[in-house]
Amino acid sequence: MSWHRPHGSTSRDGWDVVVEPDASGWEHTGLYAGRLTDGESRTFEAGHREHVVVPLSGSVVVVAEGPSGRDEAKLEGRTSVFAGATDVTFVPAGSRLTVTAVGDVRVAVVFAVTPSADARFAFRHVTADEVPVELRGAGIASREVRNFGVPDVLEADSIIACEVVTPAGNWSSWPPHKHDEERPGEETQLEEIYYFEVAPEAGTPPAAATDPIGYQRVYGTEHRPIDVLAEVRSGDVVLVPHGWHGPAMAAPGYDLYYLNVMAGPGDERAWLICDDPAHGWVRKTWSDQQVDPRLPLGGTR
């Protein structure tokens, strides 16, 4: 099983990227990403799925129709994922979801499987100004995390989602960690999607960088092996069904973005992680280092 899905390798139905539950054992999360032209619409019948719509570039209108009625929101987007946070919309299970482009856009629609097709939480438009931006780590482990879909920000059944931007030359998802067991108060079982975009570092001459790249590492335990060391480009996906994951490496000269989507079978919706004991000590070094002054890449809010 290849857990690295290069851009275009999963395209279908007009989408550049499609991740769905499948026979590999991938069960709880999914993602659609692609381009829409002005006025073009795509529709999803949610059923046992709750969705979050994330404009990657440009703006979209989201309409959700369900048993409780009709909701609509215009998501004011951005020029690129490196330009800052964006509006997003949460659409609960049991709704018919339609996304319509305002101008030419690139959009991601992510989802988690829910126990029921009945909506337990309301439609929600989270504006960019409401998205908490966290600067995590220090030194060359500094990164920017946009927490639009984490439990403290968004009410949902299962889905946890955020964006991470790592400046050129830095490491994120570090130290390596895992969340593949249910251990109350210590760890939650969550599979995870990494959807990547890579761009030349700000100030790079436009013609200088023709093949922006980054890297992603996933490795397993003795009893649950997995081994991924992927060279990633814009539109690539790495799936993490279990195991330690990290680092995600931004090569010198190239800023790295990833959209994370997580969910699992447990009753508790929480991101509880366990560091690899061989590398967890690195966190203690951050108190003596400064956060990378390039952050946040999209500016402050």
Side-chain angles (χ1 to χ4, degrees):
M1 169 57 61
S2 175
W3 300 110
H4 174 213
R5 312 285 173 86
H7 179 253
S9 65
T10 62
S11 60
R12 75 166 194 255
D13 301 328
W15 294 98
D16 296 328
V17 181
V18 177
V19 176
E20 284 269 359
D22 59 30
S24 70
W26 196 256
E27 300 180 77
H28 304 288
T29 57
L31 175 147
Y32 287 73
R35 300 175 183 272
L36 280 68
T37 59
D38 185 29
E40 184 179 2
S41 295
R42 302 282 174 85
T43 297
F44 298 82
E45 296 291 348
H48 285 252
R49 294 178 177 182
E50 56 189 5
H51 291 80
V52 177
V53 180
V54 184
L56 302 172
S57 64
S59 301
V60 299
V61 172
V62 177
V63 174
E65 298 172 286
S68 61
R70 183 181 189 275
D71 292 285
E72 179 175 336
K74 181 181 179 183
L75 307 188
E76 299 294 344
R78 51 197 169 178
T79 55
S80 83
V81 296
F82 298 99
T86 181
D87 290 13
V88 304
T89 295
F90 169 77
V91 180
S95 299
R96 187 172 190 263
L97 161 66
T98 301
V99 179
T100 303
V102 180
D104 293 343
V105 307
R106 295 172 51 254
V107 64
V109 181
V110 302
F111 68 83
V113 176
T114 57
S116 169
D118 296 327
R120 294 203 310 126
F121 298 97
F123 178 94
R124 170 98 185 273
H125 176 194
V126 181
T127 66
D129 287 338
E130 295 177 295
V131 176
V133 176
E134 172 191 0
L135 302 187
R136 188 178 296 170
I140 62 170
S142 301
R143 59 273 201 186
E144 171 185 344
V145 185
R146 303 168 186 157
N147 288 311
F148 61 79
V150 300
D152 289 344
V153 176
L154 182 71
E155 287 191 317
D157 263 304
S158 302
I159 197 166
I160 298 173
C162 65
E163 299 178 312
V164 180
V165 181
T166 308
N170 284 11
W171 288 26
S172 59
S173 288
W174 187 257
H177 56 278
K178 73 178 184 72
H179 38 72
D180 59 10
E181 299 179 78
E182 286 294 330
R183 296 188 296 137
E186 296 186 45
E187 186 177 352
T188 43
Q189 183 179 344
L190 303 167
E191 63 183 27
E192 183 167 12
I193 298 171
Y194 279 70
Y195 166 83
F196 291 95
E197 298 210 359
V198 193
E201 185 178 12
T204 303
T210 59
D211 187 24
I213 57 171
Y215 294 87
Q216 172 71 28
R217 178 73 170 125
V218 184
Y219 59 99
T221 63
E222 178 184 355
H223 302 292
R224 302 183 73 189
I226 185 172
D227 188 6
V228 178
L229 178 55
E231 185 174 275
V232 295
R233 293 170 169 81
S234 290
D236 283 16
V237 167
V238 171
L239 304 180
V240 184
H242 56 83
W244 311 105
H245 42 288
M249 295 166 274
Y254 305 118
D255 295 328
L256 180 69
Y257 161 95
Y258 49 87
L259 171 61
N260 281 148
V261 188
M262 292 171 275
D267 294 332
E268 182 183 16
R269 179 176 172 253
W271 184 65
L272 300 180
I273 67 170
C274 172
D275 286 339
D276 183 339
H279 304 295
W281 64 270
V282 172
R283 290 188 188 274
K284 297 178 182 178
T285 69
W286 294 344
S287 61
D288 298 325
Q289 301 178 56
Q290 298 297 313
V291 173
D292 191 316
R294 293 174 291 179
L295 293 175
L297 288 188
T300 57
R301 290 191 173 275

